Amino acid sequence: MTHSVRMSTSIAPARPGADPESAPGSGPAAEAAGSEATGSESAVGPDGGWTSGAGPGGADDSTICDVDVIRVSGGARLAGQVHVVGAKNSALKLMAAALLAPGRSVITNVPRITDIAIMGEVLRRLGCQVSFADDEPVPSAERAGVAAAGGPEGVARSCSVTIEVPDAPGTEADYDLVRRLRASICVLGPLLARRGYVRVAHPGGDAIGSRGLDMHVAGLARMGAEISGEHGFVIASAPNGLRGATIWLDFPSVGATENLVMAAVLARGVTEIDNAAREPEIVDICTMLSQMGARIEGAGTSTLRIEGVAELHPVRHATVGDRIVAGTWAFAAAMTQGDVTVTGASPAFLEIALDKLVSAGCLVETRADAFRVQLDRRPSAVDVVTLPFPGFATDLLPMAIALASVSEGASLVTENIFDGRFMFVNEMARLGADIKTDGHHAVVRGRERLSSAPVRATDIRAGAGLVIAGLCADGVTEVSHVHHVDRGYPDFIADLRTLGVEVERATAPEEPAFTL
Ligand code: EPU
């Protein structure tokens, strides 16, 4: 296993003919639908580092190329401690928020994942200077067992990103980057606020479903922006500046709330956003913006009140811990009847998820920034309904389905956020899971054990869900296209090993393409 972690400073152009929705590392033959970050010919190394160029194994052969796979042996009982670094879904937006103030902002506890490198490139093309430096590695006490298991003692999973923002950042984010990283749409609000004009490629949908922008657009229009769509771009202008407005969101959209807050902080007057998203990542952004001089009330509630200011100043800010990675370990502990302590993320961000695990039979102990999940019998089936925060997170849906697949009894799992989340259920069926879907409901009848098989990750969370499902299968499960997993989990393999799992990463040949 290689563990040299690096982040590229340049991005290779997409290969002509490559599927724009295929993700980095998937190679030219990949037809995988995109995930949070979508398509490119860039590769994520086994260490989660980001490299440019051809996919692993090269791309000279136009019919067969390699894909990264994780081979996981079933049967382990997860035990030990893992540390979680900053949340991808916060760090990406914090980087965009830096655009709001000229000068040098520093964001720490940023996960070392591809998406961050892509966002760095988005900012560079807007005229910023962006550099990455490793944070201190997690103390060895918190990574006990890694070296013994052959893992990378002392490898940093997080970094600090320094962003030098010019007085007049650029105003355009191109499709070649936006398609690789949907989250780059979050430069819309800050750039409109600072420059009065912005042109950002429309990111389109992805593997977990259609993903609209109507609430972003309608909210900015309420603030006085003129918005049009042309040739795949969203174009917004407010030559006389944005003005405060009252905005009611039809749905507490995370992305729309973020874009609107980042626009409102520099608007004239007061903006009120009702039915705002309440996710911890929104609170994190509001905290950073407040440190920059913004006036925001109500972060973490459904009503945000933002009084615009004339200018903001750069800051240093630490990213909030990743609740979804933390939750993934919590579910994996329950599924394997294990005993896992997770540090680095507040259990307060996972209240409903941890409560479900208690209903499943787990003993859950919590501290301010850590929690422990133990189970010494087969989990009991629990029903799960995904909802915006503080509801059960949609990003943990695959973990809930994986747990239900090995629980005693039947679970009803309902997805309310993304229409394509159940796509990965077909892969779970290959592992022998008994799942029937009907619209946005799935009935899962638990089995004592799953049956190992080759399966394919279709997005970040589905990939992680399949790996942890493999922990409860007989034999070795091979999950392919794990570049998806890399984008959300900085050091997944090392963490699994720390917890006692026999797991390896390898490259395997992709299926040949047949042509007439
Ligand atoms: N929606 C609209 N119109 C809009 C905005 C959203 O119809 O203008 C719909 C979407 O189509 C979707 C739903 O509202 O069906 C939720 O979208 P939301 O805006 O809340 O999500 P997002 O900002 O696109 C973020 C995370 C997702 C996470 C969701 C929900 C980032 C980069 N992504 O997406 O994370 O699932 O919030 O919590 O922050 C992941 O990390 O794997 C991931 C998918």
Side-chain angles (χ1 to χ4, degrees):
M1 200 58 45
T2 165
H3 293 289
S4 58
V5 179
R6 63 200 166 111
M7 280 190 154
S8 168
T9 51
S10 65
I11 285 192
R15 181 185 310 276
D19 182 341
E21 289 288 64
S22 72
S26 56
E31 72 280 14
S35 64
E36 276 293 283
T38 55
S40 87
E41 288 303 301
S42 322
V44 182
D47 49 17
W50 193 88
T51 57
S52 300
D60 289 336
D61 184 330
S62 58
T63 55
I64 304 180
C65 66
D66 294 341
V67 291
D68 275 12
V69 301
I70 290 178
R71 296 195 185 108
V72 60
S73 301
R77 174 180 177 269
L78 262 56
Q81 184 167 315
V82 280
H83 183 75
V84 163
V85 298
K88 161 185 86 82
N89 288 347
S90 202
L92 291 168
K93 324 305 172 55
L94 299 174
M95 289 172 74
L99 285 168
L100 285 160
R104 177 186 297 185
S105 282
V106 180
I107 301 158
T108 62
N109 199 29
V110 172
R112 278 195 143 279
I113 52 173
T114 318
D115 294 28
I116 296 296
I118 299 175
M119 185 52 110
E121 184 62 18
V122 171
L123 297 183
R124 278 191 198 107
R125 291 200 198 170
L126 291 168
C128 303
Q129 286 174 33
V130 183
S131 58
F132 301 96
D134 281 349
D135 285 342
E136 282 298 303
V138 177
S140 55
E142 293 192 359
R143 292 174 55 82
V146 174
E153 186 66 68
V155 167
R157 290 122 179 263
S158 66
C159 58
S160 297
V161 186
T162 301
I163 306 165
E164 293 268 2
V165 180
D167 286 341
T171 54
E172 181 149 330
D174 277 329
Y175 184 51
D176 75 313
L177 287 181
V178 175
R179 70 178 175 169
R180 299 179 203 198
L181 181 68
R182 221 198 112 82
S184 42
I185 192 69
C186 65
V187 301
L188 186 67
L191 288 180
L192 184 60
R194 280 220 49 213
R195 299 299 316 279
Y197 175 82
V198 59
R199 194 166 174 268
V200 182
H202 195 300
D206 64 22
I208 53 175
S210 54
R211 297 176 75 175
L213 287 182
D214 50 310
M215 286 182 265
H216 302 237
V217 165
L220 293 173
R222 296 277 303 196
M223 294 168 73
E226 274 180 31
I227 312 209
S228 58
E230 224 170 69
H231 308 299
F233 280 85
V234 178
I235 301 163
S237 70
N240 300 318
L242 295 166
R243 54 170 191 271
T246 300
I247 300 165
W248 170 265
L249 295 179
D250 293 338
F251 177 88
S253 155
V254 172
T257 303
E258 289 162 347
N259 250 329
L260 296 175
V261 169
M262 290 192 278
V265 287
L266 289 181
R268 274 192 321 278
V270 173
T271 299
E272 192 173 291
I273 306 174
D274 283 326
N275 202 24
R278 300 159 60 187
E279 272 69 4
E281 294 77 27
I282 302 276
V283 176
D284 201 24
I285 292 159
C286 289
T287 304
M288 173 164 154
L289 291 170
S290 300
Q291 288 160 354
M292 292 169 83
R295 297 200 186 127
I296 304 175
E297 286 170 19
T301 74
S302 298
T303 304
L304 289 169
R305 187 182 181 280
I306 302 136
E307 193 183 330
V309 296
E311 57 181 22
L312 297 175
H313 54 81
V315 283
R316 184 180 179 90
H317 178 83
T319 313
V320 70
D322 197 318
R323 65 196 164 102
I324 305 299
V325 175
T328 301
W329 295 124
F331 275 77
M335 287 173 64
T336 59
Q337 301 175 35
D339 179 356
V340 174
T341 298
V342 183
T343 60
S346 169
F349 301 156
L350 282 165
E351 263 182 6
I352 292 189
L354 293 177
D355 192 56
K356 289 288 169 192
L357 294 181
V358 170
S359 303
C362 296
L363 179 62
V364 177
E365 290 169 48
T366 59
R367 297 203 310 264
D369 219 20
F371 60 86
R372 179 176 179 185
V373 175
Q374 301 171 72
L375 186 62
D376 55 9
R377 62 166 176 83
R378 194 173 162 202
S380 306
V382 287
D383 294 342
V384 164
V385 179
T386 68
L387 282 172
F389 191 84
F392 190 97
T394 174
D395 291 341
L396 286 175
L397 176 117
M399 324 317 159
I401 291 204
L403 175 72
S405 302
V406 294
S407 293
E408 207 160 351
S411 309
L412 177 63
V413 180
T414 304
E415 166 61 27
N416 286 316
I417 315 293
F418 290 113
D419 48 21
R421 270 283 188 213
F422 284 147
M423 257 178 59
F424 100 112
V425 158
N426 296 330
E427 300 302 302
M428 286 295 295
R430 290 185 45 69
L431 296 177
D434 181 351
I435 307 173
K436 282 197 176 54
T437 57
D438 183 5
H440 63 133
H441 301 291
V443 174
V444 188
R445 291 187 177 79
R447 296 218 152 122
E448 184 106 35
R449 288 214 73 69
L450 299 173
S451 170
S452 59
V455 288
R456 177 184 185 130
T458 47
D459 70 82
I460 306 170
R461 312 301 172 189
L466 288 167
V467 173
I468 66 167
L471 296 171
C472 298
D474 57 5
V476 176
T477 294
E478 183 174 287
V479 183
S480 69
H481 297 81
V482 293
H483 52 273
H484 288 298
V485 180
D486 296 328
R487 13 187 53 124
Y489 298 80
D491 214 354
F492 203 44
I493 300 262
D495 282 338
L496 284 164
R497 287 185 173 163
T498 302
L499 297 175
V501 176
E502 209 178 297
V503 59
E504 65 166 13
R505 182 166 178 136
T507 51
E510 171 71 294
E511 289 156 15
F514 297 109
T515 49
L516 287 176

